[in-house]
């Protein structure tokens, strides 16, 4: 069993050293060369960083008071054109007006943003000279707002300065940013909890991103009432994203196996590897997904199910935002980045689109068959959580069975994953 584990660990290390040259999710770009203070070659510490989170039905109405408490005088509200016509955005603007907050609306956020759409939002932010930001929407909106805040706060920086290597320079963020309140309306990305902003780099047709604890939102307002406006396929695909965030962070290479060890704590990456605290959040998110995702998709008025999925997104965000993701996300970027004509059901967009959660979940059976050899105990625990008796059609069990040395009579109980996928 040691040999298969070594092969998996070797691949995960190679992906990491290449900055995955999955440039979205590995972030070894931030690890400056040099010997660490401990003299170690692999890391010996992990750090938890997360936005403040407030949860409750109707909590969005408090956003104006929050800005008033921050002393904000000139606020940028970012959203997309579809959401700008729906009640959640009106709730935010009503709260602004009630509390005397001056604001301007930017509603040109692109679903699955690009470097071009980031730059348009950045230019709006620079012209506006805002002293606070509110991002209202899914991960695309929150990520766009993070980038706008960053580059408006660092006006002399070139766009690629903070973009992950090897595409960008991956410089650490040292400038102070303005407060950013994230109000998520989907239940997938967990972007309200993380210091990551993902986009398509059009010239190379790849996804990459910006990763720094400095860009995470100041506050996330998780209001389950907003999820009632999510179409069936949007909540399904965003649920797949939560599922894979939890699974991948729980099976990420442990932080103490990651190298090189940073010479300075500012260069320790946000995705630092699996750790005991991220594990707690990942497992809890997975339990919620297993219990509520099907209900949330099948019953659009089931506020309990949709509320719990909204929380699961944040919990998984805390997990993967401080541990990392790996192969599912790494392989999702060619799937979504090379899309030519496909347009997903329930997504009202004017461009071809493979929803992020869908592109991630497609490869998950193969990924977790492979990674099971690295940490069979974690994989078995996840299989238990996802009601393994329902998964027989979803994944071959033999590699996992071999990894844990189970007898043939036990093999029938080891098939993995997708219990939460609608229709199983």
């Amino acid at each position: 069993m040691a040999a298969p584990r070594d092969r998996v660990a070797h691949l995960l290390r190679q992906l990491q050293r290449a900055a995955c040259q999955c440039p979205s999710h590995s972030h070894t770009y931030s690890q400056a060369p040099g010997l660490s203070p401990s003299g170690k070659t692999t890391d010996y510490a992990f750090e938890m960083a997360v936005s403040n989170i407030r949860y409750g039905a109707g909590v969005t109405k408090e956003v104006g008071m929050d800005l008033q408490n921050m002393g904000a005088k000139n606020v940028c509200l970012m959203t997309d054109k579809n959401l700008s016509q729906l009640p959640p955005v009106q709730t935010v603007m009503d709260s602004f007006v009630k509390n005397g907050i001056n604001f301007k609306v930017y509603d040109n956020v692109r679903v699955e943003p690009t470097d071009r759409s980031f730059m348009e939002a950045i230019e709006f932010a620079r012209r506006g000279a805002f002293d606070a930001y509110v991002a209202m929407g899914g991960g695309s909106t929150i990520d766009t707002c993070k980038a706008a805040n960053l580059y408006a706060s660092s006006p002399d920086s070139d766009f690629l300065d903070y973009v992950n290597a090897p595409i960008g320079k991956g410089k650490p963020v040292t400038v102070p940013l303005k407060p950013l309140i994230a109000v998520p309306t989907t239940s997938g990305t967990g972007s309200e909890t993380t210091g990551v902003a993902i986009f398509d780099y059009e010239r190379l047709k790849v996804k990459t991103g910006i990763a720094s604890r400095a860009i995470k939102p100041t506050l996330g307002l998780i209001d389950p009432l907003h999820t009632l406006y999510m179409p069936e396929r949007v909540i399904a695909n965003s649920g797949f994203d939560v599922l894979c965030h939890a699974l991948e962070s729980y099976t990420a290479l442990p932080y103490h196996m990651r190298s090189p060890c940073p010479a300075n704590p500012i260069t320790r990456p946000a995705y630092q590897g699996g750790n005991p605290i991220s594990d707690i959040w990942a497992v809890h998110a997975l339990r919620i997904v297993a219990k509520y995702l099907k209900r949330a998709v099948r019953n659009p008025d089931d506020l309990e199910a949709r509320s719990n999925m909204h929380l699961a997104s944040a919990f998984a965000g805390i997990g993967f935002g401080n541990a990392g993701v790996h192969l599912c996300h790494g392989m999702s970027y060619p799937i979504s980045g090379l899309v030519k004509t496909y347009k997903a059901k329930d997504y009202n967009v004017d461009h071809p689109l493979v929803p992020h959660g869908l592109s991630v979940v497609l490869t998950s059976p193969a990924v977790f068959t492979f990674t099971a050899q690295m940490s069979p105990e974690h994989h078995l625990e996840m299989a238990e959580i996802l009601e393994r008796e329902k998964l027989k059609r979803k994944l071959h069990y033999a590699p996992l069975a071999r990894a844990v040395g189970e007898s043939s009579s036990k093999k029938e109980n080891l098939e993995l994953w997708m219990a939460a996928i609608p229709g199983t």
Side-chain angles (χ1 to χ4, degrees):
M1 187 164 65
R5 288 193 188 194
D6 289 345
R7 286 197 296 271
V8 178
H10 174 72
L11 175 60
L12 294 176
R13 286 197 188 97
Q14 291 301 110
L15 289 172
Q16 173 203 82
R17 286 171 186 157
C20 183
Q21 307 251 0
C22 154
S24 296
H25 282 101
S26 88
H27 315 317
T28 52
Y29 73 88
S30 63
Q31 298 170 9
L35 192 64
S36 74
S38 68
K40 295 179 179 291
T41 56
T42 57
D43 210 342
Y44 64 98
F46 65 90
E47 177 179 341
M48 297 301 294
V50 65
S51 309
N52 291 334
I53 296 297
R54 186 184 305 150
Y55 170 85
V59 74
T60 303
K61 295 177 181 178
E62 297 182 356
V63 66
M65 290 183 283
D66 287 314
L67 292 165
Q68 195 176 66
N69 294 338
M70 294 172 181
K73 305 295 184 184
N74 182 29
V75 175
C76 174
L77 170 60
M78 284 203 174
T79 189
D80 63 55
K81 291 191 182 300
N82 292 325
L83 196 58
S84 66
Q85 307 301 315
L86 296 177
V89 169
Q90 188 62 51
T91 299
V92 169
M93 293 193 293
D94 288 347
S95 183
F96 287 172
V97 172
K98 182 178 179 179
N99 291 279
I101 302 297
N102 295 318
F103 67 96
K104 292 182 180 177
V105 178
Y106 181 83
D107 65 357
N108 201 34
V109 169
R110 187 182 193 270
V111 178
E112 299 295 338
T114 65
D115 53 323
R116 184 184 308 172
S117 72
F118 265 20
M119 287 303 302
E120 291 171 356
I122 290 165
E123 182 58 30
F124 180 87
R126 284 174 171 168
R127 290 197 311 267
F130 301 109
D131 58 8
Y133 295 82
V134 174
M136 180 94 193
S140 296
T141 296
I142 299 172
D143 286 2
T144 299
C145 199
K146 290 174 186 176
N149 188 10
L150 171 61
Y151 288 96
S153 300
S154 184
D156 296 329
S157 296
D158 180 75
F159 180 71
L160 291 179
D161 282 352
Y162 298 119
V163 173
N164 301 341
I167 291 171
K169 299 176 183 178
K171 291 182 177 179
V173 177
T174 58
V175 297
L177 273 64
K178 304 300 183 185
L180 191 164
I181 299 176
V183 189
T185 58
T186 61
S187 305
T189 67
S191 185
E192 68 273 14
T193 69
T194 73
V196 178
I198 302 299
F199 65 93
D200 287 304
Y201 190 56
E202 292 182 302
R203 185 167 66 86
L204 297 181
K205 298 187 182 302
V206 297
K207 275 192 183 287
T208 184
I210 302 161
S212 170
R213 295 178 180 89
I215 69 171
K216 71 181 187 299
T218 310
L219 172 66
L221 297 180
I222 302 178
D223 188 338
L225 296 180
H226 302 326
T227 65
L228 297 176
Y229 298 95
M230 293 173 64
E232 175 184 303
R233 296 318 303 171
V234 175
I235 198 163
N237 290 326
S238 60
F240 296 157
D241 201 17
V242 179
L243 175 69
C244 289
H245 282 156
L247 295 174
E248 288 178 86
S249 65
Y250 198 50
T251 57
L253 194 71
Y255 75 94
H256 55 79
M257 296 178 68
R258 181 181 51 76
S259 62
C261 186
N264 187 306
I266 197 174
T267 63
R268 181 168 283 116
Y271 288 175
Q272 61 203 318
N275 61 78
I277 300 178
S278 285
D279 286 353
I280 292 170
W281 292 105
V283 169
H284 190 50
L286 198 60
R287 293 186 190 280
I288 295 173
V289 170
K291 184 174 181 180
Y292 288 107
L293 178 55
K294 282 184 182 179
R295 279 178 51 184
V297 173
R298 292 173 176 172
N299 303 297
D301 297 325
D302 189 337
L303 185 58
E304 180 188 10
R306 292 197 170 201
S307 297
N308 275 280
M309 286 304 301
H310 217 27
L311 274 176
S313 176
F315 295 159
I318 296 170
F320 88 86
N322 288 283
V325 288
H326 49 77
L327 297 174
C328 293
H329 276 77
M331 291 191 290
S332 77
Y333 299 123
I335 295 171
S336 58
L338 295 175
V339 62
K340 292 180 173 59
T341 60
Y342 179 76
K343 289 188 178 180
K345 180 183 177 183
D346 289 342
Y347 288 79
N348 184 18
V349 295
D350 60 1
H351 55 273
L353 171 71
V354 177
H356 175 64
L358 180 60
S359 69
V360 169
V361 82
L362 285 172
T363 60
S364 60
V367 165
F368 294 115
T369 297
F370 177 71
T371 59
Q373 301 171 89
M374 176 65 182
S375 54
E377 298 82 4
H378 277 197
H379 287 71
L380 281 170
E381 183 179 356
M382 291 185 294
E384 290 265 5
I385 292 169
L386 292 176
E387 299 182 276
R388 59 191 180 187
E389 70 274 8
K390 295 182 180 180
L391 309 181
K392 293 180 181 179
R393 296 188 301 275
K394 294 299 177 183
L395 187 66
H396 294 296
Y397 57 78
L400 178 59
R402 287 197 299 270
V404 298
E406 293 284 351
S407 66
S408 58
S409 63
K410 287 278 190 79
K411 288 179 182 179
E412 294 179 359
N413 293 324
L414 297 178
E415 294 88 351
L416 288 181
W417 313 133
M418 308 300 173
I421 293 180
T424 61

